[in-house]
Amino acid sequence: MTPPRGPGSDGSDDLELPCGETVDPHEIDLGMREYRCSCGDVHAVVTDVHPPSRFFPESLVAILQETIDTDDEFEEFGTPHLMGVVLEEFPEDVAIHDASDDGAVGYTLLWVTDFDARRLHEIVVELVVELMEHAISHADDDAAVTEFESQMLEFDVGEFVDQYRREREFESEYDRPI
């Protein structure tokens, strides 16, 4: 019989979180968006099977998927790419677990962040807006650039996240993309 493991144990399957505590990836189920840690904080949980519509409306996800070419093993732009951008910007605040050899968890990749799910949502939106601003800055259409910059001056990330999370009903496991 395997002895039980707790935070701080050296179980080979445990994921060390940014706070220093550990979690057994088998404790993370596909419906989780946050993990209440023994450190006292709540950490955002994202898996590769979570759709990008967790963060953005389907219409924007479709535009991102049509616009962004990926050069990796994923068929189209998705959650792994969003989390890659977050990981690039906040490498010390994101723990990642590769579960590709573990058929018992239901996901291939797991990310647990030092921030809660709402703050992660804001960060993802902010980073995608930055990517969009960079992309539009290379456009040959000065009117389109000006229009985009004008719209971004009026865009409130916090309000967008609040409204989107209300409409998605993130408290329920039955939320649906909008």
Side-chain angles (χ1 to χ4, degrees), residues 33 162-176 178:
R33 291 187 187 89
D162 287 342
Q163 181 179 350
Y164 192 69
R165 292 173 75 80
R166 269 192 313 272
E167 291 179 25
R168 284 292 305 266
E169 297 179 19
F170 277 106
E171 298 305 315
S172 164
E173 65 188 65
Y174 303 106
D175 69 290
R176 302 208 186 285
I178 56 172

Side-chain angles (χ1 to χ4, degrees), residues 49-154:
V49 297
H50 291 162
S53 59
R54 170 179 174 172
F55 302 105
F56 300 104
E58 288 287 331
S59 58
L60 180 58
V61 170
I63 291 169
L64 292 171
Q65 290 173 336
E66 289 173 16
T67 308
I68 299 174
D69 291 326
T70 60
D71 189 18
D72 54 30
E73 68 271 15
F74 301 101
E75 292 179 26
E76 61 188 2
F77 182 81
T79 300
H81 301 99
L82 292 173
M83 291 308 297
V85 174
V86 173
L87 185 62
E88 186 176 307
E89 195 70 26
F90 299 95
E92 302 298 319
D93 297 319
V94 181
I96 186 168
H97 176 71
D98 180 348
S100 57
D101 293 331
D102 186 350
V105 293
Y107 54 81
T108 303
L109 294 170
L110 166 68
W111 298 268
V112 181
T113 69
D114 201 30
F115 10 83
D116 66 17
R118 187 189 184 293
R119 179 64 186 131
L120 174 63
H121 196 159
E122 285 182 337
I123 289 169
V124 169
V125 171
E126 289 167 356
L127 292 173
V128 168
V129 167
E130 285 180 22
L131 289 172
M132 292 167 62
E133 286 175 337
H134 178 75
I136 198 77
S137 72
H138 294 287
D140 293 330
D141 185 348
D142 289 338
V145 172
T146 302
E147 175 66 21
F148 181 81
E149 289 173 348
S150 172
Q151 289 176 2
M152 287 301 98
L153 289 174
E154 297 176 19

